[in-house]
Amino acid sequence: SRCFSHKERWRSDWRYPTTLLCIYGFFSTVKPLEPFIIPYLTGPDKNLTTEQVNNQIFPVWTYSYLAVLVPVFLLTDWLRYKPVVVFQCVSLFITTAMLLWMESVPAMQAMQFFYGVVTASEVAYFSYIYSVVDVKRYRKATSYCRSIQLLGYTVGSVLGQLLVSFNLMSYNNILVFTLVLTAIALLTSCLLPMPQQSMFFHRRHTGQKTATEGTKRHKHKAEDLEESVGADNCSKVLLQVWRDFRQCYASRQLLYWSVWWAMATCGYNQTVNYVQVLWEHAQPSQNFSIYNGGVEAVSNLLGAATAYGIGFTEVRWEQWGELALGGFSGLGAASLFLMTFIGNIWVCYAGYVIFKCLYMLLITIAMYQIAADLSMERYALVFGANNFGALALQTIITSVVVDSRGLGLGIIPQFTIYASYFSVIAVVFSLRGVFTIWRAQRSSKESTFPDKNEPPDSDEHRL
């Protein structure tokens, strides 16, 4: 009975769902073939052309992601997270299976659609923790889940590098291995406890404290805290979400940071999605593609170290933040220009690592600044709205610049546009940052010097 009691305590503790979610996060993000997806698709296995991959297949991911993002966001909350986590893993399994066994352009487009569903369902991964963990444990649990995801991506990149470099597995066998890892993640997701409440559709009674005020959220107290919102009241929930949305973005400071978030994330996603095509263009032979995994691993680790280190800096970001956004976005633009016009694979690799680290640095600062004065519910709403804005911009750029039904530009003109795009961001936010600093210094001087109407004897101390 003591063993049974210990098991029950473990299952009711916050570490149980966090551990399961971390196991799921790790096995679902180990993707050894991802750094070599372009050589795989354009090689003898699939026999597709670079133009087909670049202009016909990859754009489908952006369109499907945008199409399902809002429905998935609402369903995630309504279904209380776990079903969407399981659904995400099923979609990932389907994506990998289609990549392995299908070959035509329409089949690869369908594969990209399912991958868009996988990406849109990512919201359930982090939202789940919020519903089963005490608010005082939330930051720690979130850091564990983020770190384990990063570890999964890094292990996947290193593993792919080793398997390809030493010819230990063919591309197809690597995908079979990935299916096994995904099956482990799927089994783990089924073991997750079902949350009793959610942020919007299954809320606590209005008389209770909210999560941001420190209430406990263990399952055995659910009957005191939960207020399930039926389908007939969905319109009220959506109306409240709209009111929260308007109130959040009424803050000019939050609005500026959110505009940068949306614009920079759009450019970052476009760069990451199509950088392998640029690498293929820059390398003199196919042999250099064996380093793609190592470069991804290095960029992930350095990006994480940069984001982690920024938390220890003592900078008044409310004053200097916008100038930092502009300045570092300018460095990112310079990296992209070098990658585009210096036809050297090592320059491309180095520029990519620098660009990724700069983005991770800035997006971390933006998250800190936006989250500072928001409840967790409103932060989730702003996070979703900013990413939706980024995706809407990305869809416009993809349909005009990349898609074969639009301009269908080659990879060099594409990256020239991306670099110019970041240059515009750099100029706008640098000017805004200079203005913010000038205004802050002027206010400081006005508060330091005495008013003109002050009595004359106060000047004696300055003589």
Side-chain angles (χ1 to χ4, degrees), residues 246-260:
R246 290 182 61 184
Q247 194 166 348
C248 286
Y249 286 97
S251 164
R252 186 169 291 187
Q253 183 81 2
L254 184 144
L255 181 62
Y256 290 140
W257 284 90
S258 295
V259 166
W260 179 88

Side-chain angles (χ1 to χ4, degrees), residues 404-423:
S404 57
R405 291 167 294 184
L407 296 177
L409 298 180
I411 197 62
I412 296 299
Q414 272 186 51
F415 268 76
T416 304
I417 290 172
Y418 302 154
S420 303
Y421 174 83
F422 271 97
S423 299

Side-chain angles (χ1 to χ4, degrees), residues 14 20 25 43 66 85 101 140 149 168 176 180 209 254 259 273 309 334 345 376 386 410-411 422 434:
W14 71 278
L20 284 177
L66 180 69
V85 173
W101 286 305
K140 182 179 288 187
Q149 267 197 327
L168 300 177
V176 173
V180 174
K209 289 182 178 180
L254 184 144
V259 166
N273 286 351
I345 187 61
M376 195 56 65
N386 289 351
I411 197 62
F422 271 97
V434 169

